[in-house]
Amino acid sequence: MINSTDFANRIKKVMDFHQLSASLFADKIGVQRSSISHILSGRNKPSLDFILKITTTFKNVDIHWLLNGKGNFPKENNTSTLKASPTPPNLFQDSSNTGKQIQRIVVFYNDGTFDEYRK
């Protein structure tokens, strides 16, 4: 269960870090200004949608930190581990020896477009 007071303090920390008032913060994440007011006052608890809007809008906010205070804010950027990783596996090869083979992979984007990858 989320502690409303601690959660509100973490939201305030994000707002202070980005130098945003409560109303600008609400506008930025796309919620009603009253939603921020009610959550900051402890009247309402945040919905999953509300939490995801924060973590989607502010990439430096870790969801684990926002929910329970574990982790760091701002979130550490771990791109160095991505650069050091070996070449990605060939997704079209069957590694489980079941004889099944992937024919195509389709990636759908939130703007309605998609990319298709074929062997």
Side-chain angles (χ1 to χ4, degrees), residues 92 102-109 113-118:
F92 294 104
I102 297 173
Q103 293 180 344
R104 67 182 177 160
I105 298 172
V106 181
V107 179
F108 296 94
Y109 299 99
T113 62
F114 66 93
D115 286 324
E116 184 174 343
Y117 302 94
R118 291 184 179 267

Side-chain angles (χ1 to χ4, degrees), residues 33-59:
R33 294 175 181 182
S34 60
S35 297
I36 299 292
S37 175
H38 294 310
I39 289 172
L40 291 178
S41 70
R43 178 178 173 197
N44 292 354
K45 293 188 184 270
S47 67
L48 177 60
D49 185 51
F50 180 85
I51 292 166
L52 292 176
K53 285 182 178 188
I54 294 172
T55 57
T56 301
T57 304
F58 299 101
K59 301 295 183 194

Side-chain angles (χ1 to χ4, degrees), residues 35-99:
S35 297
I36 299 292
S37 175
H38 294 310
I39 289 172
L40 291 178
S41 70
R43 178 178 173 197
N44 292 354
K45 293 188 184 270
S47 67
L48 177 60
D49 185 51
F50 180 85
I51 292 166
L52 292 176
K53 285 182 178 188
I54 294 172
T55 57
T56 301
T57 304
F58 299 101
K59 301 295 183 194
N60 62 347
V61 177
D62 180 63
I63 193 167
H64 298 292
W65 174 82
L66 186 60
L67 290 174
N68 56 31
K70 295 180 181 176
N72 296 317
F73 175 75
K75 180 168 52 173
E76 296 175 6
N77 193 356
N78 292 332
T79 56
S80 61
T81 56
L82 294 176
K83 292 177 184 175
S85 64
T87 57
N90 185 345
L91 297 176
F92 294 104
Q93 290 180 345
D94 180 22
S95 60
S96 62
N97 296 326
T98 61

